[in-house]
Amino acid sequence: MLQTRNGKRTAQAALKIACDLVDEGMRTEQEAVAMIDPRNLDTLLHPQFDAKALKAATPLGKGLGASPGAACGKVVFTADDAVAWKERGEKVVLVRLETSPEDITGMKAAQGILTVRGGMTSHAAVVARGMGTCCVSGCSEINMDEENKKFTLAGQTFNEGDPISIDGTTGNIYGQIIPTVPATIAGEFGRVMAWADKYRTLKVRTNADTPADAKKARELGAEGIGLCRTEHMFFGEGRIDAFREMICSSTLEEREKALEKILPMQQSDFEALYEALEGNPVTIRFLDPPLHEFVPTEEADIEALAKTQGKTVEAIKSIIAGLHEFNPMMGHRGCRLAVTYPEIAKMQTKAVIRAAINVQKKHPDWKVEPEIMIPLVGEVKELKFVKKFVVETADAEIAAAGVDLKYEVGTMIEIPRAALTADDIAKEADFFCFGTNDLTQMTFGFSRDDAGKFLTAYYDTKIFENDPFAKLDQVGVGKLMEMAIKLGKPVNPKLHIGICGEHGGDPSSVEFCHKIGLDYVSCSPARRRSFVR
Ligand code: PEP
Ligand code: MG
């Protein structure tokens, strides 16, 4: 024998071959599942370019394939334009330097999202994956002129309304419309996934922030919510205002007044999450991001906020300026917010517990057992401090309602020090959940939002073979995870452990999580099925 080669096959062909081999008695069901490369399956779940049209097209540039699928449409530059153009019946691709929470409605309205800056865990990438929308991020070859609504790429100038197509799997960008075809799931796909479900031991949860996401994920087989980023619940119309009032409060009294407005919104969202999950576990993470991410930037919004709060525009601007940080990802965020403003965590506790009580009453046969997750803990005393008033508030709510409700308080392990001191932290935590987006950022010491700029050089020079934000660095970050498990479990044998960073949707990272003994993986709903092995 001179040479052997793998038979190259599409995802559909691989599924058909696997099924045929089982039907012919050549392979067992387990072997058939193991024959499928899970990376290929992701593409089956999203619209793709028409193969013939794609063959005739040449890419103009390339960014990071940040959220799979293909999209084509007309270029727009702002979230408002994306919404307005969509209402006129146009298909659009939103092109931004980078996205922020204010762009959410535009991101929802767009077929795809293209950003100049940002890596695999930038705002655009994470939100697009959550929405199942195609996204190419970090295309630094683009020369952007947002003010004049135009950009250039490979010598071609794109104005508002010009045609563009992007491929969120390869990262390719095309200066023309390439028609897309919808995702189809062939019969063999269902069979192979059913076998995977039969043999796997790792549970699969999803990251979901809205009742709609949770419902969708549940329909697609998610066994729980591993991460609800509560801050994402404020993106909707009319919600951001109350949140901004809370941020721009000058006194405890003012903040509590704003929190009173937020409480029923959160409670009703949590109720809808519990309803959607039908008694399966729901992990709700308390407020995490730096508050400056939510403050208004437009003059009109600042004026409106000043008016509602009875403050001057200058006063609001000065509060906003005061929130500025040089290094926000390592700044006033995570449990540090709860340490400074316990009233926020108290409000969130009330909302979680009241929602759980209501849903449990409506469905006595379900097991509604809230999992409250405290983010960014690096020192056990932080967790102890926050947990104390979470427990006091929760117990008071349960007593007032005269019911018997169990709940858990756990923490994310996303700061290296938390992994190093996991034996202390495990004494206070009912569960650990690895936040590998932050754990990767803090272990490597480079920013998840900025690393895209230099990582290409790292791939070219073979310092890195993969984006560590997409594929878990098992040697370094993985060692911290193993250490946390080894330290935590003996101290608290009941401790259950999962992962909710984006790595929870990457096949080789999932395999690693299985090997080190995690109970579940959780990732964006649009990546929910492609990695089950
Ligand atoms: C993480 O850090 O891995 C995580 C899940 O939290 P976030 O991405 O919201 O920081
Ligand atoms: Mg995090």
Side-chain angles (χ1 to χ4, degrees), residues 229 285 288 333 375-376 412 414 435-439 448:
R229 293 178 165 100
R285 183 189 66 191
D288 179 55
R333 59 173 289 229
L376 222 72
M412 296 191 73
E414 52 184 347
T436 47
N437 301 336
D438 272 309
L439 193 59
R448 58 202 261 192

Side-chain angles (χ1 to χ4, degrees), residues 391-409:
V391 168
E392 277 168 9
T393 311
D395 289 353
E397 288 292 326
I398 294 167
V403 293
D404 183 20
L405 182 89
K406 289 202 174 61
Y407 65 92
E408 293 190 342
V409 183

Side-chain angles (χ1 to χ4, degrees), residues 163-199:
I164 192 167
S165 297
I166 57 171
D167 186 328
T169 307
T170 61
N172 282 341
I173 303 160
Y174 304 83
Q176 67 196 84
I177 295 288
I178 309 175
T180 55
V181 288
T184 48
I185 300 179
E188 283 90 6
F189 193 9
R191 273 186 89 192
V192 171
M193 295 311 289
W195 294 333
D197 281 345
K198 199 162 139 190
Y199 298 109

Side-chain angles (χ1 to χ4, degrees), residues 373-420:
M373 182 153 76
I374 311 299
L376 222 72
V377 164
E379 154 62 50
V380 66
K381 284 186 205 149
E382 285 174 307
L383 179 60
K384 251 185 171 168
F385 181 85
V386 179
K387 187 178 158 187
K388 184 172 176 289
F389 50 77
V390 166
V391 168
E392 277 168 9
T393 311
D395 289 353
E397 288 292 326
I398 294 167
V403 293
D404 183 20
L405 182 89
K406 289 202 174 61
Y407 65 92
E408 293 190 342
V409 183
T411 182
M412 296 191 73
I413 301 289
E414 52 184 347
I415 289 189
R417 194 177 188 282
L420 296 167

Side-chain angles (χ1 to χ4, degrees), residues 1-70:
M1 191 179 294
L2 292 178
Q3 190 185 52
T4 67
R5 284 187 186 194
N6 279 348
K8 293 268 179 286
R9 51 205 191 271
T10 62
Q12 281 98 338
L15 291 164
K16 171 100 177 83
I17 293 168
C19 288
D20 284 355
L21 287 172
V22 171
D23 293 343
E24 288 163 21
M26 311 279 283
R27 286 282 184 274
T28 63
E29 291 170 352
Q30 292 100 313
E31 285 167 346
V33 172
M35 282 173 65
I36 307 287
D37 183 345
R39 283 170 305 181
N40 292 342
L41 299 184
D42 210 10
T43 53
L44 294 181
L45 297 160
H46 299 274
Q48 295 304 307
F49 287 133
D50 174 75
K52 223 165 130 194
L54 182 64
K55 242 183 182 168
T58 315
L60 276 185
K62 199 174 167 78
L64 297 169
S67 177

